[in-house]
Amino acid sequence: MWVVHQIHPDIQIHQIHLDSPEPGECRVPTTENPFRPTAGATPPEVIGRSGLLDEFEYGLDLGSGAPGLLSIFTGARGIGKTVMLGAAHAVAREHGWAVIAETATGTFMGRIGEKMRRLTHELADNPESRRRITGLSIAGFSITSQLTPERQVDWRELGETLLTLLDERGTGLLITVDEIHAADRAELAQLAANVQHFIQDRLPIALIFAGLPSAVSDLLNEGVATFLRRADKIDLHAAAVRDVEKSYTDTFAAANINIRPELVSEAATATGGYPFLIQLIGYFLWREAEKNNGQLSRDAVDRAITAGIRRNERVVIEAALAAASAKDREFLHAMSIDDGPSATADIIRRTGSRPTLIAKYRNRLLDAGLIESTEHGKVDYAIPGLREYLRKNPDS
Ligand SMILES: Nc1ncnc2c1ncn2[C@@H]1O[C@H](COP(=O)(O)OP(=O)(O)O)[C@@H](O)[C@H]1O
Ligand SMILES: [Mg+2]
């Protein structure tokens, strides 16, 4: 087959490999596109997150009450919170723990109760276990409405029974709740109170939450679930660009995709280490390689970067802006004049709005995960590319 080694865009060296398949049979890249630019999807490589679950894993061995068993992942949209929850599920399962994964939409206590009920049934495989669960009210939980006070009592009893059965087997239960910024506060308080109770009873329970930073800090400060302040708060940030570069280099080399180091570096820099862009740009680079028999020229790399950024704008930025009011956007546009964090005083001056009004919109935007507060009471965009997008689209 013909293998084209590109040293420079204008110079190509053609080589014949006699032991390779006939032309037409060979396919470069040699595997399927491994990138996963989809919310929550497991990426080909989880970049820059090593060690983050060490405390949790250690906690699984220690058992009830270990600090790592109570954790909260926070970070902007697309930073990789759901992926970390998935990684925690995998670690827990490796240790033989049962896992209940929920998202905080609608009513989740009933759904968790229902899953606990099924797990309990599955465990009742011997007479002793069966005896333990007889007499326990384990009728199904409504998964569409909030738990009534009586069902709350059932929920706790069921939890105790299930955790006792798991404890006897030397394992435990991990409950994760994603997107807690969207959660009903009363339900979160209920869940937290129950988990606290299980921990006091030395039952093997782990709880991990994930959500947008401002919503999580509000939640902890409001006293909805004071005991959650003890949780290990893990704030996720962008990965280092050099780690992205290394990951791209390895992934492409393994699939026989030919790309010059400086172009890999350019693509990695364009991601800013932001996980969703890592997947998007990687995905489009791979598509370009498929169209060009494994070769990634400068033009192809530029096209992939543009396509990745555009898709991030549509999926993350425009979706986030769609939920913003005209006044929210005015605030956001006023920030785009700055190259870094914006001072409240400047936003007041640029918009000509009253300070109380600006304070109100500041809170709204913090809650929506569009901005985050930085040092000295300044605010900055919480989503990569938002500043550039607003500058490019002054009418958005
Ligand atoms: N550490 C990582 N390295 C590379 N890609 C990642 C990483 N974490 C997440 N991703 C990718 O980024 C995207 C967003 O991840 P997700 O967990 O859904 O973010 P969040 O829940 O914070 O919005 C997904 O396409 C996922 O595959
Ligand atoms: Mg998520």
Side-chain angles (χ1 to χ4, degrees):
M1 76 173 203
W2 289 96
V3 177
V4 183
H5 290 285
Q6 217 166 20
I7 292 171
H8 183 272
D10 305 319
I11 308 169
Q12 292 179 342
I13 301 174
H14 295 257
Q15 285 181 331
I16 294 177
H17 287 235
L18 293 173
D19 55 351
S20 299
E22 291 300 308
E25 279 180 44
C26 82
R27 282 196 51 183
V28 181
T30 50
T31 52
E32 270 174 14
N33 196 330
F35 292 99
R36 290 291 175 272
T38 308
T42 305
E45 188 188 347
V46 178
I47 303 172
R49 303 287 185 244
S50 64
L52 287 189
L53 289 173
D54 285 358
E55 203 64 26
F56 171 68
E57 190 160 11
Y58 184 59
L60 293 173
D61 290 332
L62 280 186
S64 185
L69 295 183
L70 194 59
S71 298
I72 305 182
F73 286 110
T74 64
R77 286 192 177 78
I79 207 76
K81 299 179 293 299
T82 304
V83 162
M84 286 308 293
L85 289 183
H89 299 156
V91 171
R93 289 197 179 101
E94 273 166 30
H95 284 250
W97 281 48
V99 174
I100 293 180
E102 267 304 332
T103 299
T105 47
T107 54
F108 56 90
M109 283 297 279
R111 294 199 300 272
I112 293 174
E114 195 46 34
K115 287 178 182 169
M116 290 199 307
R117 192 176 71 85
R118 275 190 232 134
L119 279 171
T120 308
H121 273 298
E122 281 168 28
L123 287 174
D125 49 3
N126 65 56
E128 179 51 36
S129 303
R130 232 170 284 136
R131 198 165 22 251
R132 205 189 294 280
I133 58 175
T134 331
L136 180 74
S137 161
I138 58 174
F141 284 89
S142 163
I143 54 170
T144 50
S145 52
Q146 299 214 336
L147 297 181
T148 60
E150 302 82 63
R151 296 306 274 153
Q152 285 181 37
V153 175
D154 293 342
W155 196 103
R156 178 173 295 191
E157 278 182 8
L158 177 61
E160 282 168 1
T161 306
L162 172 60
L163 290 167
T164 307
L165 292 175
L166 289 167
D167 199 21
E168 285 166 0
R169 289 162 173 75
T171 67
L173 172 69
L174 164 65
I175 298 178
T176 67
V177 185
D178 202 356
E179 316 226 346
I180 58 162
H181 44 269
D184 179 274
R185 297 293 158 101
E187 281 212 305
L188 272 181
Q190 258 176 42
L191 177 59
N194 282 313
V195 168
Q196 182 171 24
H197 172 88
F198 296 150
I199 293 173
Q200 279 160 357
D201 282 355
R202 299 177 182 280
L203 291 169
I205 181 84
L207 178 67
I208 309 186
F209 284 149
L212 297 173
S214 62
V216 169
S217 60
D218 278 2
L219 191 75
L220 300 187
N221 293 332
E222 266 172 19
V224 173
T226 332
F227 113 104
L228 286 177
R229 288 195 203 149
R230 269 189 262 147
D232 194 4
K233 222 167 124 285
I234 304 173
D235 202 13
L236 298 176
H237 295 282
V241 168
R242 66 173 180 283
D243 291 345
V244 179
E245 194 174 331
K246 179 167 185 321
S247 176
Y248 275 173
T249 304
D250 297 347
T251 307
F252 294 136
N256 279 341
I257 292 173
N258 201 8
I259 175 170
R260 297 203 312 277
E262 68 271 25
L263 292 178
V264 177
S265 166
E266 228 164 87
T269 305
T271 70
Y274 175 58
F276 190 44
L277 270 176
I278 299 172
Q279 297 309 309
L280 280 171
I281 292 178
Y283 174 85
F284 286 113
L285 284 169
W286 196 281
R287 297 270 288 146
E288 289 290 339
E290 280 172 346
K291 288 181 211 157
N292 300 295
N293 199 26
Q295 300 301 312
L296 283 172
S297 65
R298 160 160 300 282
D299 282 352
V301 171
D302 286 344
R303 280 196 299 274
I305 291 174
T306 307
I309 289 175
R310 180 72 199 112
R311 182 73 66 89
N312 180 54
E313 286 176 355
R314 280 221 317 275
V315 176
V316 181
I317 297 181
E318 287 172 11
L321 287 179
S325 70
K327 195 76 195 166
D328 290 332
R329 289 165 207 224
E330 193 188 339
F331 188 116
L332 292 170
H333 275 291
M335 287 171 63
S336 74
I337 294 170
D338 300 308
D339 290 327
S342 306
T344 309
D346 289 334
I347 298 168
I348 292 171
R349 192 170 40 74
R350 288 169 194 162
T351 56
S353 303
R354 278 179 291 121
T356 47
L357 202 61
I358 288 301
K360 178 181 151 200
Y361 282 95
R362 184 177 184 274
N363 285 335
R364 276 171 56 92
L365 291 166
L366 284 168
D367 280 347
L370 279 161
I371 63 172
E372 57 196 11
S373 55
T374 62
E375 60 341 321
H376 310 307
K378 290 187 170 184
V379 287
D380 203 354
Y381 297 112
I383 304 176
L386 183 51
R387 185 189 322 278
E388 293 73 17
Y389 180 86
L390 291 165
R391 286 178 179 174
K392 267 192 296 186
N393 301 279
D395 299 324
S396 62

